[in-house]
Amino acid sequence: MAHKDITPIIKEFFILGVTSSGKQFRPSDWSERLCGAMSCFRQDGGRNAHLQYSPYVRPILLNGIRSVVVNEELRQIEPLAYHFVVDFAKDNDLQVVDACLLPEPDEKKS
């Protein structure tokens, strides 16, 4: 009988700081600004919480391109915030790419 790995699938996507025509998006700190606006959407968040990025919307440098990783769990937690982030990408003609999680290497096979 085959063993199934029952780990939850984390669905995420990247918003790249590059337009569909290949131009770099400005201002250069756009990803930090967007993630700062979304910082209250987390388990212990709220108006009076210490400022830190949400685990659902966080900045990342991806192959030298400022980007944002969006976890689709945000859609269940706060649909309006999720649509705000998605609409931001659409309104600014930014490239959106599905994230692909790679399995951790099995140390026993090494």
Side-chain angles (χ1 to χ4, degrees):
M1 183 175 208
H3 178 309
K4 286 189 175 182
D5 186 11
I6 311 177
T7 55
I9 297 174
I10 299 172
K11 182 77 171 144
E12 294 181 321
F13 60 91
F14 300 116
I15 300 174
L16 305 178
V18 178
T19 64
S20 63
S21 63
K23 293 184 180 181
Q24 183 177 356
F25 184 64
R26 297 282 183 202
S28 61
D29 66 343
W30 72 271
S31 59
E32 290 87 358
R33 290 182 186 197
L34 178 61
C35 293
M38 299 280 95
S39 64
C40 63
F41 298 104
R42 60 182 195 275
Q43 296 289 334
D44 57 346
R47 288 186 168 188
N48 298 322
H50 178 69
L51 180 62
Q52 66 185 60
Y53 293 127
S54 167
Y56 307 108
V57 184
R58 58 193 193 282
I60 187 172
L61 195 60
L62 187 64
N63 293 330
I65 299 171
R66 292 188 184 274
S67 305
V68 170
V69 180
V70 180
N71 186 310
E72 292 202 14
E73 283 186 39
L74 181 62
R75 186 188 317 224
Q76 278 73 40
I77 295 167
E78 183 52 64
L80 291 176
Y82 177 82
H83 289 292
F84 174 81
V85 173
V86 171
D87 289 344
F88 177 87
K90 287 179 186 175
D91 292 345
N92 291 290
D93 194 29
L94 298 176
Q95 296 179 22
V96 177
V97 180
D98 282 337
C100 176
L101 295 177
L102 298 175
E104 293 291 325
D106 188 358
E107 293 180 17
K108 295 176 186 176
K109 292 182 181 179
S110 300

